[in-house]
Short mmCIF file of all heavy atoms in Angstrom, two decimals:
data_model
loop_
_atom_site.label_atom_id
_atom_site.label_comp_id
_atom_site.label_asym_id
_atom_site.label_seq_id
_atom_site.Cartn_x
_atom_site.Cartn_y
_atom_site.Cartn_z
N LEU Y 42 -40.08 57.71 -173.95
CA LEU Y 42 -39.29 56.50 -173.80
C LEU Y 42 -37.82 56.85 -173.56
O LEU Y 42 -37.15 56.25 -172.71
CB LEU Y 42 -39.42 55.63 -175.06
CG LEU Y 42 -38.67 54.29 -175.03
CD1 LEU Y 42 -39.17 53.43 -173.88
CD2 LEU Y 42 -38.87 53.56 -176.35
N ARG Y 43 -37.32 57.86 -174.30
CA ARG Y 43 -35.93 58.26 -174.10
C ARG Y 43 -35.73 58.79 -172.68
O ARG Y 43 -34.72 58.49 -172.03
CB ARG Y 43 -35.55 59.33 -175.12
CG ARG Y 43 -34.07 59.74 -175.01
CD ARG Y 43 -33.72 60.82 -176.03
NE ARG Y 43 -33.79 60.28 -177.39
CZ ARG Y 43 -34.53 60.79 -178.35
NH1 ARG Y 43 -35.28 61.85 -178.12
NH2 ARG Y 43 -34.54 60.26 -179.55
N THR Y 44 -36.70 59.56 -172.20
CA THR Y 44 -36.59 60.07 -170.83
C THR Y 44 -36.57 58.92 -169.83
O THR Y 44 -35.78 58.91 -168.87
CB THR Y 44 -37.78 61.00 -170.52
OG1 THR Y 44 -37.75 62.09 -171.43
CG2 THR Y 44 -37.70 61.51 -169.10
N GLY Y 45 -37.42 57.93 -170.06
CA GLY Y 45 -37.44 56.76 -169.18
C GLY Y 45 -36.14 55.99 -169.24
O GLY Y 45 -35.63 55.52 -168.20
N GLU Y 46 -35.58 55.86 -170.43
CA GLU Y 46 -34.31 55.14 -170.56
C GLU Y 46 -33.18 55.90 -169.88
O GLU Y 46 -32.28 55.30 -169.29
CB GLU Y 46 -34.01 54.90 -172.03
CG GLU Y 46 -34.92 53.85 -172.68
CD GLU Y 46 -34.61 53.65 -174.15
OE1 GLU Y 46 -34.02 54.56 -174.76
OE2 GLU Y 46 -34.97 52.58 -174.68
N GLU Y 47 -33.22 57.23 -169.97
CA GLU Y 47 -32.16 58.01 -169.33
C GLU Y 47 -32.25 57.87 -167.81
O GLU Y 47 -31.23 57.75 -167.12
CB GLU Y 47 -32.26 59.48 -169.75
CG GLU Y 47 -31.10 60.30 -169.21
CD GLU Y 47 -30.90 61.58 -170.00
OE1 GLU Y 47 -31.89 62.15 -170.49
OE2 GLU Y 47 -29.74 62.02 -170.12
N ARG Y 48 -33.46 57.89 -167.30
CA ARG Y 48 -33.61 57.67 -165.85
C ARG Y 48 -33.11 56.30 -165.44
O ARG Y 48 -32.43 56.15 -164.43
CB ARG Y 48 -35.08 57.82 -165.46
CG ARG Y 48 -35.61 59.25 -165.53
CD ARG Y 48 -37.10 59.27 -165.30
NE ARG Y 48 -37.65 60.62 -165.37
CZ ARG Y 48 -38.94 60.90 -165.50
NH1 ARG Y 48 -39.83 59.90 -165.55
NH2 ARG Y 48 -39.36 62.15 -165.58
N ALA Y 49 -33.43 55.30 -166.27
CA ALA Y 49 -32.97 53.94 -165.96
C ALA Y 49 -31.45 53.86 -166.01
O ALA Y 49 -30.82 53.23 -165.15
CB ALA Y 49 -33.58 52.95 -166.94
N ALA Y 50 -30.85 54.53 -167.01
CA ALA Y 50 -29.40 54.50 -167.13
C ALA Y 50 -28.75 55.16 -165.92
O ALA Y 50 -27.76 54.64 -165.35
CB ALA Y 50 -28.96 55.20 -168.42
N LEU Y 51 -29.28 56.31 -165.50
CA LEU Y 51 -28.72 57.00 -164.34
C LEU Y 51 -28.86 56.15 -163.08
O LEU Y 51 -27.95 56.10 -162.23
CB LEU Y 51 -29.41 58.34 -164.16
CG LEU Y 51 -29.01 59.44 -165.17
CD1 LEU Y 51 -29.97 60.61 -165.07
CD2 LEU Y 51 -27.59 59.88 -164.93
N ARG Y 52 -30.00 55.49 -162.93
CA ARG Y 52 -30.21 54.64 -161.77
C ARG Y 52 -29.19 53.49 -161.75
O ARG Y 52 -28.59 53.18 -160.72
CB ARG Y 52 -31.63 54.08 -161.79
CG ARG Y 52 -31.98 53.25 -160.54
CD ARG Y 52 -33.42 52.80 -160.55
NE ARG Y 52 -33.69 51.85 -161.64
CZ ARG Y 52 -34.38 52.15 -162.72
NH1 ARG Y 52 -34.89 53.37 -162.90
NH2 ARG Y 52 -34.59 51.25 -163.67
N LEU Y 53 -28.98 52.87 -162.92
CA LEU Y 53 -28.03 51.77 -163.00
C LEU Y 53 -26.60 52.26 -162.75
O LEU Y 53 -25.81 51.56 -162.09
CB LEU Y 53 -28.11 51.10 -164.36
CG LEU Y 53 -29.40 50.28 -164.62
CD1 LEU Y 53 -29.51 49.93 -166.10
CD2 LEU Y 53 -29.38 49.00 -163.78
N LEU Y 54 -26.27 53.44 -163.26
CA LEU Y 54 -24.91 53.95 -163.07
C LEU Y 54 -24.58 54.23 -161.63
O LEU Y 54 -23.40 54.29 -161.25
CB LEU Y 54 -24.72 55.22 -163.91
CG LEU Y 54 -24.50 55.01 -165.41
CD1 LEU Y 54 -24.61 56.32 -166.16
CD2 LEU Y 54 -23.15 54.35 -165.66
N ASN Y 55 -25.59 54.42 -160.81
CA ASN Y 55 -25.36 54.69 -159.38
C ASN Y 55 -25.49 53.44 -158.53
O ASN Y 55 -25.55 53.52 -157.31
CB ASN Y 55 -26.32 55.77 -158.90
CG ASN Y 55 -25.91 57.16 -159.39
OD1 ASN Y 55 -24.95 57.72 -158.89
ND2 ASN Y 55 -26.63 57.67 -160.37
N SER Y 56 -25.53 52.27 -159.19
CA SER Y 56 -25.63 51.01 -158.46
C SER Y 56 -24.29 50.64 -157.83
O SER Y 56 -23.22 51.08 -158.28
CB SER Y 56 -26.06 49.89 -159.42
OG SER Y 56 -25.94 48.62 -158.81
N ASP Y 57 -24.35 49.83 -156.79
CA ASP Y 57 -23.12 49.31 -156.18
C ASP Y 57 -22.53 48.15 -156.98
O ASP Y 57 -21.39 47.77 -156.74
CB ASP Y 57 -23.41 48.83 -154.74
CG ASP Y 57 -23.76 49.98 -153.81
OD1 ASP Y 57 -23.32 51.12 -154.09
OD2 ASP Y 57 -24.49 49.74 -152.83
N GLN Y 58 -23.33 47.61 -157.90
CA GLN Y 58 -22.89 46.43 -158.64
C GLN Y 58 -22.27 46.86 -159.99
O GLN Y 58 -22.91 47.54 -160.79
CB GLN Y 58 -24.07 45.49 -158.92
CG GLN Y 58 -24.75 45.00 -157.67
CD GLN Y 58 -23.79 44.22 -156.78
OE1 GLN Y 58 -23.01 43.41 -157.25
NE2 GLN Y 58 -23.87 44.49 -155.47
N PRO Y 59 -21.02 46.48 -160.27
CA PRO Y 59 -20.39 46.91 -161.53
C PRO Y 59 -21.15 46.44 -162.78
O PRO Y 59 -21.16 47.12 -163.78
CB PRO Y 59 -18.98 46.30 -161.44
CG PRO Y 59 -19.03 45.29 -160.35
CD PRO Y 59 -20.10 45.72 -159.41
N GLU Y 60 -21.76 45.24 -162.68
CA GLU Y 60 -22.49 44.75 -163.86
C GLU Y 60 -23.67 45.67 -164.21
O GLU Y 60 -23.96 45.91 -165.38
CB GLU Y 60 -23.03 43.33 -163.59
CG GLU Y 60 -21.95 42.27 -163.45
CD GLU Y 60 -21.36 42.23 -162.04
OE1 GLU Y 60 -21.86 42.99 -161.16
OE2 GLU Y 60 -20.40 41.48 -161.82
N GLU Y 61 -24.31 46.21 -163.17
CA GLU Y 61 -25.42 47.12 -163.42
C GLU Y 61 -24.91 48.47 -163.93
O GLU Y 61 -25.53 49.09 -164.80
CB GLU Y 61 -26.25 47.31 -162.15
CG GLU Y 61 -27.03 46.05 -161.75
CD GLU Y 61 -28.08 46.33 -160.70
OE1 GLU Y 61 -28.09 47.46 -160.15
OE2 GLU Y 61 -28.90 45.43 -160.43
N ARG Y 62 -23.78 48.94 -163.42
CA ARG Y 62 -23.22 50.19 -163.91
C ARG Y 62 -22.81 50.04 -165.39
O ARG Y 62 -22.99 50.96 -166.19
CB ARG Y 62 -22.02 50.62 -163.08
CG ARG Y 62 -22.37 50.92 -161.63
CD ARG Y 62 -21.32 51.78 -160.95
NE ARG Y 62 -20.02 51.14 -160.91
CZ ARG Y 62 -19.60 50.27 -159.99
NH1 ARG Y 62 -20.43 49.88 -159.02
NH2 ARG Y 62 -18.37 49.76 -160.01
N GLN Y 63 -22.31 48.88 -165.73
CA GLN Y 63 -21.95 48.61 -167.12
C GLN Y 63 -23.19 48.65 -168.01
O GLN Y 63 -23.19 49.24 -169.10
CB GLN Y 63 -21.27 47.25 -167.24
CG GLN Y 63 -20.73 46.93 -168.62
CD GLN Y 63 -20.03 45.58 -168.65
OE1 GLN Y 63 -20.43 44.62 -167.99
NE2 GLN Y 63 -18.96 45.49 -169.43
N ARG Y 64 -24.28 48.04 -167.54
CA ARG Y 64 -25.54 48.08 -168.29
C ARG Y 64 -26.04 49.50 -168.45
O ARG Y 64 -26.58 49.88 -169.51
CB ARG Y 64 -26.59 47.21 -167.59
CG ARG Y 64 -26.41 45.71 -167.77
CD ARG Y 64 -27.37 44.93 -166.90
NE ARG Y 64 -28.74 45.42 -167.01
CZ ARG Y 64 -29.62 45.42 -166.02
NH1 ARG Y 64 -29.29 44.94 -164.84
NH2 ARG Y 64 -30.85 45.85 -166.23
N GLY Y 65 -25.88 50.31 -167.40
CA GLY Y 65 -26.30 51.71 -167.48
C GLY Y 65 -25.52 52.46 -168.55
O GLY Y 65 -26.09 53.27 -169.30
N ALA Y 66 -24.21 52.21 -168.64
CA ALA Y 66 -23.40 52.87 -169.67
C ALA Y 66 -23.82 52.40 -171.05
O ALA Y 66 -23.93 53.21 -171.98
CB ALA Y 66 -21.92 52.58 -169.42
N TRP Y 67 -24.06 51.12 -171.22
CA TRP Y 67 -24.51 50.62 -172.52
C TRP Y 67 -25.83 51.26 -172.92
O TRP Y 67 -26.05 51.55 -174.10
CB TRP Y 67 -24.67 49.10 -172.47
CG TRP Y 67 -23.37 48.35 -172.49
CD1 TRP Y 67 -22.15 48.81 -172.89
CD2 TRP Y 67 -23.16 46.99 -172.07
NE1 TRP Y 67 -21.21 47.81 -172.76
CE2 TRP Y 67 -21.79 46.71 -172.26
CE3 TRP Y 67 -24.00 46.01 -171.55
CZ2 TRP Y 67 -21.24 45.46 -171.94
CZ3 TRP Y 67 -23.45 44.77 -171.23
CH2 TRP Y 67 -22.09 44.50 -171.44
N LEU Y 68 -26.71 51.46 -171.95
CA LEU Y 68 -28.01 52.07 -172.25
C LEU Y 68 -27.84 53.51 -172.74
O LEU Y 68 -28.69 54.02 -173.48
CB LEU Y 68 -28.89 52.04 -170.99
CG LEU Y 68 -30.39 52.27 -171.15
CD1 LEU Y 68 -31.00 51.24 -172.10
CD2 LEU Y 68 -31.06 52.20 -169.80
N ALA Y 69 -26.74 54.13 -172.37
CA ALA Y 69 -26.48 55.53 -172.76
C ALA Y 69 -25.70 55.64 -174.06
O ALA Y 69 -25.33 56.75 -174.46
CB ALA Y 69 -25.71 56.23 -171.64
N ALA Y 70 -25.47 54.54 -174.73
CA ALA Y 70 -24.66 54.56 -175.96
C ALA Y 70 -25.51 54.99 -177.15
O ALA Y 70 -25.75 54.23 -178.08
CB ALA Y 70 -24.06 53.17 -176.21
N ARG Y 71 -25.96 56.24 -177.12
CA ARG Y 71 -26.78 56.80 -178.16
C ARG Y 71 -26.79 58.33 -178.01
O ARG Y 71 -26.42 58.84 -176.96
CB ARG Y 71 -28.22 56.27 -178.10
CG ARG Y 71 -28.95 56.63 -176.83
CD ARG Y 71 -30.23 55.85 -176.68
NE ARG Y 71 -29.96 54.43 -176.54
CZ ARG Y 71 -30.89 53.50 -176.48
NH1 ARG Y 71 -32.16 53.86 -176.56
NH2 ARG Y 71 -30.57 52.22 -176.36
N PRO Y 72 -27.18 59.06 -179.05
CA PRO Y 72 -27.21 60.52 -178.92
C PRO Y 72 -28.32 60.99 -177.99
O PRO Y 72 -29.21 60.24 -177.62
CB PRO Y 72 -27.48 60.99 -180.37
CG PRO Y 72 -27.16 59.81 -181.23
CD PRO Y 72 -27.46 58.59 -180.40
N ARG Y 73 -28.22 62.27 -177.64
CA ARG Y 73 -29.27 63.00 -176.93
C ARG Y 73 -29.66 62.34 -175.60
O ARG Y 73 -30.83 62.13 -175.31
CB ARG Y 73 -30.50 63.19 -177.83
CG ARG Y 73 -30.22 64.03 -179.06
CD ARG Y 73 -31.48 64.29 -179.86
NE ARG Y 73 -32.08 63.05 -180.35
CZ ARG Y 73 -31.69 62.40 -181.44
NH1 ARG Y 73 -30.66 62.86 -182.13
NH2 ARG Y 73 -32.29 61.29 -181.83
N MET Y 74 -28.65 62.09 -174.78
CA MET Y 74 -28.90 61.70 -173.39
C MET Y 74 -28.00 62.54 -172.50
O MET Y 74 -27.03 62.04 -171.89
CB MET Y 74 -28.66 60.19 -173.18
CG MET Y 74 -29.59 59.30 -173.98
SD MET Y 74 -29.51 57.53 -173.56
CE MET Y 74 -30.38 57.48 -172.00
N PRO Y 75 -28.24 63.84 -172.43
CA PRO Y 75 -27.27 64.79 -171.84
C PRO Y 75 -26.95 64.51 -170.37
O PRO Y 75 -25.79 64.61 -169.96
CB PRO Y 75 -27.94 66.15 -172.02
CG PRO Y 75 -29.39 65.85 -172.27
CD PRO Y 75 -29.43 64.54 -172.96
N ARG Y 76 -27.95 64.21 -169.57
CA ARG Y 76 -27.67 64.01 -168.14
C ARG Y 76 -26.83 62.76 -167.92
O ARG Y 76 -25.91 62.75 -167.10
CB ARG Y 76 -29.00 63.90 -167.37
CG ARG Y 76 -29.76 65.22 -167.26
CD ARG Y 76 -30.87 65.09 -166.25
NE ARG Y 76 -31.82 64.05 -166.61
CZ ARG Y 76 -32.54 63.35 -165.73
NH1 ARG Y 76 -32.42 63.57 -164.44
NH2 ARG Y 76 -33.39 62.43 -166.15
N THR Y 77 -27.15 61.71 -168.67
CA THR Y 77 -26.38 60.47 -168.54
C THR Y 77 -24.96 60.65 -169.05
O THR Y 77 -24.00 60.17 -168.44
CB THR Y 77 -27.08 59.32 -169.29
OG1 THR Y 77 -28.46 59.30 -168.91
CG2 THR Y 77 -26.44 57.99 -168.93
N HIS Y 78 -24.81 61.32 -170.19
CA HIS Y 78 -23.47 61.56 -170.72
C HIS Y 78 -22.64 62.40 -169.74
O HIS Y 78 -21.44 62.18 -169.59
CB HIS Y 78 -23.56 62.24 -172.07
CG HIS Y 78 -24.13 61.35 -173.14
ND1 HIS Y 78 -24.75 61.83 -174.27
CD2 HIS Y 78 -24.20 60.00 -173.22
CE1 HIS Y 78 -25.15 60.81 -175.01
NE2 HIS Y 78 -24.84 59.69 -174.39
N ALA Y 79 -23.29 63.38 -169.10
CA ALA Y 79 -22.57 64.19 -168.09
C ALA Y 79 -22.09 63.31 -166.94
O ALA Y 79 -20.99 63.50 -166.40
CB ALA Y 79 -23.47 65.30 -167.60
N GLU Y 80 -22.90 62.34 -166.56
CA GLU Y 80 -22.50 61.42 -165.49
C GLU Y 80 -21.33 60.55 -165.93
O GLU Y 80 -20.40 60.31 -165.15
CB GLU Y 80 -23.69 60.55 -165.08
CG GLU Y 80 -23.37 59.45 -164.07
CD GLU Y 80 -22.92 59.97 -162.72
OE1 GLU Y 80 -23.13 61.17 -162.44
OE2 GLU Y 80 -22.35 59.18 -161.94
N LEU Y 81 -21.34 60.09 -167.18
CA LEU Y 81 -20.22 59.31 -167.69
C LEU Y 81 -18.94 60.13 -167.68
O LEU Y 81 -17.87 59.64 -167.29
CB LEU Y 81 -20.51 58.82 -169.11
CG LEU Y 81 -21.74 57.92 -169.30
CD1 LEU Y 81 -21.91 57.58 -170.77
CD2 LEU Y 81 -21.63 56.65 -168.47
N VAL Y 82 -19.03 61.38 -168.11
CA VAL Y 82 -17.86 62.26 -168.12
C VAL Y 82 -17.35 62.45 -166.70
O VAL Y 82 -16.12 62.41 -166.46
CB VAL Y 82 -18.23 63.61 -168.76
CG1 VAL Y 82 -17.11 64.64 -168.53
CG2 VAL Y 82 -18.48 63.44 -170.24
N ARG Y 83 -18.25 62.67 -165.76
CA ARG Y 83 -17.85 62.88 -164.36
C ARG Y 83 -17.09 61.66 -163.83
O ARG Y 83 -16.05 61.80 -163.18
CB ARG Y 83 -19.07 63.16 -163.50
CG ARG Y 83 -18.76 63.54 -162.06
CD ARG Y 83 -20.04 63.78 -161.28
NE ARG Y 83 -20.77 62.56 -161.06
CZ ARG Y 83 -20.51 61.70 -160.06
NH1 ARG Y 83 -19.51 61.92 -159.22
NH2 ARG Y 83 -21.24 60.62 -159.91
N ARG Y 84 -17.59 60.48 -164.15
CA ARG Y 84 -16.96 59.26 -163.65
C ARG Y 84 -15.58 59.08 -164.26
O ARG Y 84 -14.64 58.64 -163.57
CB ARG Y 84 -17.84 58.05 -163.94
CG ARG Y 84 -19.08 57.99 -163.08
CD ARG Y 84 -19.99 56.83 -163.39
NE ARG Y 84 -21.02 56.74 -162.36
CZ ARG Y 84 -20.88 56.10 -161.20
NH1 ARG Y 84 -19.75 55.45 -160.94
NH2 ARG Y 84 -21.86 56.09 -160.32
N LEU Y 85 -15.45 59.40 -165.53
CA LEU Y 85 -14.15 59.21 -166.19
C LEU Y 85 -13.18 60.31 -165.82
O LEU Y 85 -11.98 60.05 -165.57
CB LEU Y 85 -14.35 59.19 -167.71
CG LEU Y 85 -15.08 57.96 -168.27
CD1 LEU Y 85 -15.39 58.17 -169.75
CD2 LEU Y 85 -14.23 56.70 -168.09
N SER Y 86 -13.64 61.54 -165.75
CA SER Y 86 -12.74 62.66 -165.50
C SER Y 86 -12.19 62.62 -164.07
O SER Y 86 -11.04 62.97 -163.83
CB SER Y 86 -13.49 63.99 -165.74
OG SER Y 86 -13.93 64.07 -167.07
#
Side-chain angles (χ1 to χ4, degrees):
L42 183 59
R43 183 180 293 125
T44 300
E46 288 179 338
E47 186 159 33
R48 289 173 181 164
L51 286 168
R52 184 176 66 252
L53 289 167
L54 282 169
N55 286 286
S56 169
D57 293 333
Q58 301 300 316
E60 294 82 5
E61 291 193 350
R62 296 199 300 275
Q63 186 179 36
R64 284 172 49 212
W67 285 341
L68 196 57
R71 63 192 64 184
R73 297 186 298 279
M74 297 189 76
R76 290 192 301 152
T77 311
H78 292 156
E80 174 64 16
L81 299 178
V82 169
R83 187 180 70 83
R84 288 178 171 274
L85 291 171
S86 300

